[in-house]
Amino acid sequence: MASISLTAKTITALGIDPGSNATGWGVVRECSGRLELVACGVLRVKGNTFPERLACIYHGLHHIIDEYRPDEVGVEQVFSSKNVMSTIKLAQARGAAIAACASFDLPVLDYEPSLVKKTLVGTGRAEKEQVAYMVARLLGQAHIDGPLDTTDALGIAVCHLTLRRFRRLEELQKAEL
C-alpha cells in the first residue's frame, strides 16, 4: 500500500463511513490549509444476499475513487455494539470499502468515531447533528444536503486532513532539531 506524503501542497482525501445498508462517502480537498468540498453522497447498498451487498459497496466505492482520484483515505473504525452479528456485518462492509481503496493502492488510515467527533466538535461524545453542523461550517457551507452518513464521511475526511497537518508539523519540528 502507498504511504502518505506529508510534503504535498494540495491533497484530496476520501472519507468513508461504512455501513451494510448505507455507506457514506465524502471527498475533501485541502490546499494550503483551506478546505474545499469536492463531492459527497451515500451508497444505498443493494443485493439479495450479503455477498451481493458487499460487492455493491466495493464497486460503488471503486467507481467513486476512479472518478475523484483521492490521494488518501480515512475510514471509520468499527464501533462494536451489543449485537455481535451487526458488528460482524459492519466489519465486513468496512473490509469491502478498504478493498476498493487497496485496488487503487491508496493509503488508508483508520479513525475511531470518538476521535473524529473530538477533532471536529471538541468532544468525543458529540451528536451526529453537531458533527454535521461543524463539517458544513469548516467546508464553508450553510448546510450539506443528504443523510448523516454523508456528513459523517465528510467529517472523517476533514479529521484525516486535520490530523495530517499535525503530523506534518511534527515532522517539520523533528527536522529542525
Side-chain angles (χ1 to χ4, degrees), residues 59-99:
H59 292 296
L61 286 173
H62 195 277
H63 174 74
I64 290 163
I65 293 166
D66 190 43
E67 182 173 350
Y68 296 105
R69 298 291 178 182
D71 301 300
E72 300 171 1
V73 181
V75 180
E76 188 172 74
Q77 287 182 352
V78 173
F79 176 80
S80 60
S81 65
K82 293 178 182 176
N83 185 334
V84 176
M85 288 308 295
S86 293
T87 302
I88 290 170
K89 286 182 179 182
L90 180 57
Q92 290 175 329
R94 186 175 177 280
I98 291 171

Side-chain angles (χ1 to χ4, degrees), residues 67-161:
E67 182 173 350
Y68 296 105
R69 298 291 178 182
D71 301 300
E72 300 171 1
V73 181
V75 180
E76 188 172 74
Q77 287 182 352
V78 173
F79 176 80
S80 60
S81 65
K82 293 178 182 176
N83 185 334
V84 176
M85 288 308 295
S86 293
T87 302
I88 290 170
K89 286 182 179 182
L90 180 57
Q92 290 175 329
R94 186 175 177 280
I98 291 171
C101 299
S103 72
F104 285 88
D105 198 32
L106 291 171
V108 178
L109 280 83
D110 299 320
Y111 296 99
E112 293 179 16
S114 61
L115 176 62
V116 174
K117 292 175 182 179
K118 188 169 186 173
T119 302
L120 298 174
V121 182
T123 177
R125 296 190 180 270
E127 298 293 325
K128 287 181 173 281
E129 292 79 11
Q130 291 173 295
V131 171
Y133 177 85
M134 284 305 296
V135 165
R137 295 308 171 271
L138 290 168
L139 294 174
Q141 306 288 314
H143 175 75
I144 295 175
D145 292 328
L148 293 174
D149 299 307
T150 301
T151 51
D152 282 353
L154 286 168
I156 294 162
V158 170
C159 175
H160 172 78
L161 292 168

